[in-house]
Amino acid sequence: MTNSATPIVILGGGLAGLYCALKLAPLPVTLIAPNPVGSSGASYWAQGGIAAAVEEGDTPEKHAFDTIAAGAGLVEAEIALGMAQEARKRIDELLELGAPFDRTKHGLFLPSQEAAHSHRRIIRVKGDSAGRAIMETLKTKLRTTPSITLVEGATAYKITKNSNSSLSVYCSTSEGQTIEYRCACLVLATGGVGHLYKITTNPCDSCGAGLAMAAQAGALIADAEFVQFHPTAIDINTDPAPLATESLRGEGATIINRFGRRFLLDCDHRAELAPRDIVARKVFESIQQGSGAFLDAREKIGQDFPSRFPAVYASCLTAGIDPITQPIPIAPAAHYHMGGVLTDARGRSSINNLWAIGEVASTGVHGANRLASNSLLEALVFADRVATDIKQHHFSSSEEIDIVSHPNIFPIDQSTIIAEIREIMSAYVGVIRSNTGLSFALKRFITLYKMDNTPIVQNMLITAIFIAAGALTRCESRGAHFREDYPFENPKLACRTHMTINQVLDIASKCI
């Protein structure tokens, strides 16, 4: 094992991590990512855009109101309002860096509509390419920022606390080396949990490693049970599944079954623009009943599809579907985790010198159900806040690090166990849950957890246990969490979930 001492380490090369590193300049930062920064991942693939009140008549207060309403009683109102109030400033900063947001010839934004928003406030790039464009903009800035040391191809798998209050993070490289980075400040920006599920829009490294590492180091985890399923992943048997952006529905595309019937009208007057959890459940039920589900853009978008939504159009053509003339087959896919490492308004976790930003964090702004296009906004706002907080931090001196041998973390092929985890999560910890299914999942997960696994698989199991244990103990349906044996909200449970690793392992052990 080799080692390195550095003042600030950021884990993750998505929007949150990269933006935080840039905002920390000129402080020296080591940015560690498992894949090339800015060319893959959930941020890069994000289609919808960034939510911000820019339309005449819209306000941050209205944006916050919609955010709180979507969150089903669990949103931290002050934090949601603060995020909405900072939105325009973050958008303007990206504009200054060169982000090519869609605008009129007079420079005004061209915001789109998405589900559960009361105004058109989704700032986009070429209809469905916001994530890619923003990440390319930040990559360009990264190349001219000498304070950032970039380490690509390194997978973090463990965090430990040291005697002088510094933290160590252990990473395995693609060459088989293990490196310990000891730092005064550690920022988690590792992304979400989608790849714990068989059907997901997330990349393969979104498997909950950051949550598991933080939990094993002693961090509190919040709201783990709340996983948002995007209702319109393109169902073409690819992993991950390509996404049909919600903006398509905002522009008039409808959801039909194989008989051409708009079945969402039966359950909600907002139909396709109802909150994601409602749409996802009804799409799931239609598929389970054999009626299928399809996104129909033929009438409202039609011939304009290639120019207005080029990324979705390309995904469809690859699968042999022409969305100009054919409905697009869809299915709900694990898309976003509202839960994660508990943080305060500055992004601080419950562990000294550990911050969390982006999807790995649970800041309180999403509650039980994230409002569409608030994810990129949250990443930007909290990346900026964390950078500000760290700049006020007094760095402790790093201790000398002894070089010790450490086993390679990839000696065993555990693809079979990974496939089983993903099958169980989709079947029993997915769109519709029950006591029986969740108990079965936890029984199997704790059995696998006690086996001799690689750290990568062990981290997956820990995060899966957190999600399933949170879902088992929340005996109600709220937001993205739906229990068929408890189909209604319980007002007495309108509070966030805070759990430790020992608590969830105890819950899982009782299922054996």
Side-chain angles (χ1 to χ4, degrees):
M1 182 180 79
T2 59
N3 57 74
S4 175
T6 181
I8 307 168
V9 168
I10 297 176
L11 298 181
L15 175 62
L18 187 48
Y19 193 67
C20 187
L22 291 169
K23 296 291 284 188
L24 279 164
L27 292 180
V29 173
T30 300
L31 181 68
I32 302 172
N35 298 304
V37 166
S39 60
S40 63
S43 297
Y44 185 82
W45 293 347
Q47 293 179 348
I50 303 173
V54 298
E55 189 180 47
E56 185 176 353
D58 196 7
T59 65
E61 289 73 20
K62 291 178 181 179
H63 182 182
F65 180 87
D66 292 345
T67 298
I68 293 166
L74 299 189
V75 172
E76 301 284 352
E78 289 187 9
I79 296 180
L81 177 58
M83 180 184 74
Q85 289 172 333
E86 292 180 44
R88 184 57 186 263
K89 185 175 182 180
R90 302 283 83 81
I91 295 288
D92 288 342
E93 285 180 349
L94 290 177
L95 276 175
E96 290 174 8
L97 290 172
F101 293 119
D102 295 346
R103 291 189 287 173
T104 68
K105 62 181 181 180
H106 301 295
L108 299 176
F109 289 108
L110 288 169
S112 68
Q113 182 81 43
E114 287 189 345
H117 283 274
S118 59
H119 286 263
R120 298 177 71 88
R121 62 168 69 103
I122 314 307
I123 312 303
R124 301 183 297 171
V125 177
K126 297 180 180 178
D128 61 3
S129 303
R132 179 182 303 177
I134 293 168
M135 292 304 291
E136 290 293 339
T137 298
L138 297 183
K139 277 173 60 182
T140 299
K141 180 64 175 176
L142 174 68
R143 297 188 187 104
T144 60
T145 308
S147 59
I148 301 174
T149 299
L150 183 60
V151 179
E152 297 174 313
T155 301
Y157 64 90
K158 183 172 71 172
I159 296 168
T160 60
K161 294 184 284 188
N162 302 315
S163 59
N164 68 339
S165 78
S166 68
L167 298 171
S168 285
V169 57
Y170 296 83
C171 303
S172 179
T173 70
S174 55
E175 290 81 23
Q177 282 186 311
T178 296
I179 302 177
E180 175 194 359
Y181 290 91
R182 182 167 295 199
C183 55
C185 301
L186 178 60
V187 181
L188 286 179
T190 51
V193 305
H195 215 70
L196 292 176
Y197 290 84
K198 184 179 179 181
I199 303 177
T200 180
T201 61
N202 290 182
C204 62
D205 55 336
S206 293
C207 55
L211 186 156
M213 289 188 291
Q216 290 175 94
L220 276 173
I221 305 302
D223 304 334
E225 62 268 34
F226 295 111
V227 180
Q228 187 174 77
F229 293 83
H230 199 292
T232 57
I234 304 174
D235 190 13
I236 52 175
N237 295 316
T238 59
D239 185 22
L243 183 64
T245 174
E246 197 161 291
S247 293
L248 283 160
R249 285 175 279 146
E251 297 302 314
T254 58
I255 293 176
I256 60 175
N257 61 19
R258 67 175 70 258
F259 309 109
R261 187 167 174 273
R262 288 181 63 190
F263 55 88
L264 283 165
L265 289 169
D266 299 338
C267 66
D268 196 293
H269 70 278
R270 294 166 292 185
E272 289 80 11
L273 294 181
R276 282 182 176 177
D277 60 302
I278 295 173
V279 179
R281 280 197 297 275
K282 295 306 175 184
V283 168
F284 179 81
E285 289 173 356
S286 184
I287 294 170
Q288 293 295 103
Q289 293 165 1
S291 297
F294 303 84
L295 186 66
D296 188 359
R298 292 174 294 181
E299 179 181 349
K300 293 296 184 180
I301 299 171
Q303 296 293 330
D304 294 332
F305 208 119
S307 59
R308 293 176 65 186
F309 299 97
V312 180
Y313 185 72
S315 295
C316 290
L317 289 187
T318 299
I321 301 164
D322 182 0
I324 297 174
T325 60
Q326 296 173 278
I328 305 166
I330 57 172
H335 183 62
Y336 191 87
H337 192 206
M338 279 74 72
V341 180
L342 177 67
T343 74
D344 64 13
R346 295 172 294 182
R348 292 184 177 186
S349 77
S350 57
I351 295 177
N352 288 337
N353 304 325
L354 177 67
W355 290 258
I357 50 176
E359 195 171 348
V360 71
S362 182
T363 63
V365 300
H366 301 310
N369 200 29
R370 175 179 66 92
L371 183 65
S373 290
N374 267 351
S375 54
L376 295 185
L377 174 60
E378 183 203 31
L380 292 167
V381 167
F382 280 85
D384 176 77
R385 290 185 183 186
V386 167
T388 299
D389 197 42
I390 290 176
K391 284 181 175 181
Q392 299 170 352
H393 190 77
H394 297 290
F395 300 120
S396 59
S397 59
S398 296
E399 298 175 345
E400 290 297 320
I401 305 171
D402 295 328
I403 298 177
V404 298
S405 62
H406 196 84
N408 190 320
I409 67 169
F410 302 105
I412 310 169
D413 179 8
Q414 296 203 284
S415 57
T416 300
I417 291 179
I418 292 173
E420 182 180 2
I421 293 169
R422 300 181 73 194
E423 288 276 1
I424 291 173
M425 287 294 286
S426 288
Y428 304 110
V429 199
V431 178
I432 297 177
R433 302 161 172 178
S434 69
N435 181 83
T436 301
L438 292 166
S439 297
F440 171 83
L442 285 167
K443 179 180 179 180
R444 184 56 181 157
F445 290 155
I446 197 67
T447 300
L448 294 172
Y449 173 80
K450 294 178 179 178
M451 294 171 57
D452 183 21
N453 299 306
T454 66
I456 300 296
V457 169
Q458 203 73 338
N459 285 338
M460 293 180 70
L461 286 165
I462 288 169
T463 301
I465 289 170
F466 263 101
I467 296 170
L472 181 66
T473 56
R474 185 172 285 278
C475 297
E476 65 162 351
S477 291
R478 183 181 295 274
H481 167 68
F482 185 82
R483 289 278 298 265
E484 61 183 357
D485 46 351
Y486 295 96
F488 303 106
E489 282 188 9
N490 182 345
K492 295 180 180 179
L493 298 179
C495 54
R496 299 178 66 193
T497 306
H498 296 168
M499 287 186 171
T500 66
I501 188 169
N502 289 335
Q503 288 174 321
V504 296
L505 291 176
D506 183 59
I507 293 168
S509 296
K510 290 177 180 177
C511 293
I512 295 178

